[in-house]
Amino acid sequence: MKKQSSGDGVVIIKKYANRRLYNTESSSYITLDHLAAMTREGREFKVVDAKTDADITHNVLTQIIMEEESRGETMLPVNFLRQLISMYGDSMQKMVPGYLEASMDSFRVNQQQFKSAVEGAFANSPFAEMAKRNMAMLEAASSVFKPGAAPGNAASGSTEASKDQEIAALKAELQRLNEKIEKLDD
């Protein structure tokens, strides 16, 4: 079978009536998890109905979000979902997609700027290690917004025990940094 793409690096995914997804670039059947991973990697794809050739990318992406939300810790707050639903049919409905897209773009830019500022401000200082840990926590919390990020394990296992371990590790790191600062003062 001939490999297909839309000419600009966008991978064409065909969805068949039996709900199977076919990646025309790799000539293989894939799952929604594969499409989620492609999204995180920053790969552009277009999902088309195999019979009608209609673009159904939006529906498939929405389905991926629903699957992600049902797996564990949710990212979309109930109040946000209610507000979003209430906007359907509203006179402002056409403005919402652009606003949400601009907000996410701004979030990514701010995150990158914060990361750069922290890395530059604390280079070669006693606080460098603490700043790196804080950035790691920020990145883990916001990894769903960043293409190419691996999914976190917040939904897997006992989060209470892992929180206690993180707190203990941070306390130990803080103590170690305080000792370094005291040595610098001497």
Side-chain angles (χ1 to χ4, degrees):
M1 196 171 257
K2 184 182 176 192
K3 293 181 183 179
Q4 292 182 341
S5 72
S6 66
D8 54 5
V10 177
V11 179
I12 302 297
I13 308 295
K14 291 187 176 188
K15 185 171 184 181
Y16 290 92
N18 62 3
R19 300 175 54 186
R20 292 193 72 185
L21 299 165
Y22 185 78
N23 182 332
T24 60
E25 181 182 65
S26 65
S27 299
S28 62
Y29 287 99
I30 60 172
T31 64
L32 289 176
D33 287 337
H34 287 104
L35 290 180
M38 288 174 69
T39 301
R40 288 183 188 98
E41 293 166 2
R43 293 292 316 270
E44 291 288 328
F45 60 85
K46 178 180 176 182
V47 183
V48 296
D49 183 282
K51 188 173 187 177
T52 66
D53 214 27
D55 185 348
I56 57 173
T57 308
H58 183 274
N59 294 349
V60 172
L61 291 172
T62 304
Q63 187 178 358
I64 291 170
I65 291 171
M66 293 300 298
E67 297 236 346
E68 292 289 336
E69 287 284 306
S70 70
R71 287 189 180 149
E73 291 190 35
T74 59
M75 183 176 59
L76 301 173
V78 170
N79 194 39
F80 171 80
L81 292 171
R82 286 187 174 138
Q83 290 175 14
L84 191 61
I85 291 168
S86 72
M87 295 299 291
Y88 282 95
D90 187 273
S91 61
M92 302 294 282
Q93 178 178 345
K94 291 183 189 251
M95 295 176 62
V96 173
Y99 174 79
L100 291 176
E101 190 170 348
S103 295
M104 288 304 297
D105 288 343
S106 177
F107 178 83
R108 279 191 214 105
V109 167
N110 289 339
Q111 178 188 13
Q112 190 59 41
Q113 287 174 345
F114 179 72
K115 181 179 179 181
S116 297
V118 167
E119 288 172 353
F122 293 112
N124 300 321
S125 79
F127 297 106
E129 196 61 37
M130 186 187 300
K132 286 179 185 176
R133 287 188 190 271
N134 287 340
M135 281 308 301
M137 287 190 290
L138 175 65
E139 286 178 359
S142 63
S143 65
V144 291
F145 297 121
K146 205 167 61 173
N153 20 338
S156 66
S158 64
T159 57
E160 193 65 37
S162 101
K163 284 181 186 177
D164 290 343
Q165 290 172 344
E166 284 181 36
I167 290 170
L170 288 172
K171 284 181 180 178
E173 181 67 20
L174 184 59
Q175 178 63 33
R176 189 177 70 73
L177 289 171
N178 282 332
E179 290 170 4
K180 277 187 171 181
I181 291 171
E182 286 176 18
K183 286 180 185 176
L184 290 173
D185 287 340
D186 291 341

